[in-house]
Every structure is written in C-alpha cells, then in structure tokens.
Amino acid sequence: MDLHEFLDHVNRGALIEGGSEEHRFMHGAAQEALRTVAEINTGYRTPEEVRGLLTRLTGKTVDESVVVFPPFYSEFGKNLTLGKDIFINSGCRFQDTGGIVIGHGTLIGHGTTLTTLNHGVDPARRADMSPAPVTIGDKVWLGAAVTVVPGVTIGDGAIVGAGAVVTKDVPANAVVAGVPARLMRYTGFEATP
C-alpha cells in the first residue's frame, strides 16, 4: 500500500480495520510524521523553518503567511491542508488521518484538538477506526482549548468559544460555545475574502 492508496481509502470514509494493511500503513506513516513533529517542537525554530517542516509533514507547500507557534502535534500530516493567513497557537493537536482542511484567515487558539477518527463501539472491534474529515472554513476563530470531533464542518466566519466541544456542524458566521457547543448568536458580519 502507498500513500495515494491509503488517502483514497480514508477520504472515501472506508473503515480502517484493526490489524489490516491500512492500519499497518497508518502506523508506519505516523513514524515519519512524529519525527518531523519532534523537529518542530525541539528547540527554537524560525517561522520559516517551522513552515518548511510543515511542508515536509503535509507534503504540500505551506504558504509564507501561515504562522504556527510550537509545540504542534500531528500524528499523520499527509491529510492536512492549510490555507493562507492562518494562525495556529501553541499546543494544538491535529489528528488528521481522516482529513483536516483549514480555510484562509483562520485563527486557532492554543490547546485546540481536531480529531478525525472514531473507534469501533463493539469492544471486540475497538481497534477499528472510522475516518471522517474536519473542515474549517475561511476566517473562523476557534478559541483556546476547543475540541472538534470527526465529521464536523465549521462555516466561514464562525466563532467557537474557548473550551467548547463541537459535535455537529456550525453554520457560517455563527457564535457557538459550551459542551456540547450550542448556538449563541450570529456575528452579524460576513466572512469576506
């Protein structure tokens, strides 16, 4: 199995069975990601060096407008897509195996966790994983310590309050907060390019 085949598998939402070829590939690929993440998080790195390491981690060119404050964690890397003018504060954890897309101009508060895999409910199949992507639109603001679960889309211009756990889609320009996150109001603004 190669990266293209694995990404095709997970991006279709196909099950990753515990002990399967896909499962073994995922764990092997994680080792490469963990080496790169260790370089990001060990000692001081200039913004340019961080972007270079993120380019290696994702396999995609990371725009010079992207700013990430380490430490930063990703267990896979190759299914993470970053737009332009993104700021990711320190201590964020991205489980991108199932796919994470972050739109232009988005701000992500420190300690935020984005998850894209659910484990099997049946204890006999607990090692199985179901991938579901997380999509964050343009000009979104995720407060500190937000958790976004698999399969959630956050619309353009939305704000997610600190400490929220986002378990369902968030409309564009909505303000949500709480555990689980609930609609508080709308911003009254539109996210413009």
Side-chain angles (χ1 to χ4, degrees):
M1 169 159 284
D2 65 17
L3 178 63
H4 177 75
E5 292 168 322
F6 180 79
L7 289 175
D8 183 55
H9 183 86
V10 295
N11 291 338
R12 285 192 325 264
L15 184 70
I16 302 169
E17 292 185 36
S20 67
E21 181 181 11
E22 292 82 13
H23 192 247
R24 288 188 301 277
F25 179 86
M26 179 183 71
H27 277 275
Q31 296 310 304
E32 179 184 338
L34 294 172
R35 277 191 295 277
T36 302
V37 167
E39 286 185 57
I40 292 170
N41 296 332
T42 306
Y44 173 75
R45 304 278 181 233
T46 67
E48 295 79 19
E49 289 171 323
V50 171
R51 282 190 295 277
L53 289 165
L54 288 170
T55 293
R56 183 194 325 158
L57 177 71
T58 64
K60 303 170 192 106
T61 301
V62 173
D63 191 80
E64 65 183 21
S65 63
V66 172
V67 176
V68 175
F69 284 2
F72 171 80
Y73 304 96
S74 169
E75 97 301 357
F76 189 73
K78 298 295 192 253
N79 214 0
L80 173 60
T81 302
L82 302 173
K84 296 179 180 179
D85 298 313
I86 292 172
F87 175 72
I88 300 170
N89 214 329
S90 63
C92 290
R93 297 168 301 276
F94 291 4
Q95 181 198 49
D96 68 290
T97 302
I100 295 173
V101 174
I102 300 174
H104 306 304
T106 289
L107 307 175
I108 299 181
H110 64 275
T112 289
T113 301
L114 308 178
T115 63
T116 64
L117 296 174
N118 275 319
H119 284 277
V121 176
D122 178 354
R125 303 299 312 171
R126 192 65 43 90
D128 292 353
M129 289 169 271
S130 299
V134 167
T135 303
I136 300 175
D138 294 341
K139 299 196 176 178
V140 170
W141 175 19
L142 302 183
V146 165
T147 298
V148 180
V149 302
V152 167
T153 295
I154 299 176
D156 294 346
I159 298 172
V160 179
V165 177
V166 185
T167 60
K168 60 185 180 180
D169 290 354
V170 175
N173 303 307
V175 178
V176 300
V179 178
R182 292 188 176 95
L183 179 65
M184 299 288 128
R185 62 184 174 88
Y186 285 89
T187 64
F189 299 98
E190 297 224 4
T192 56

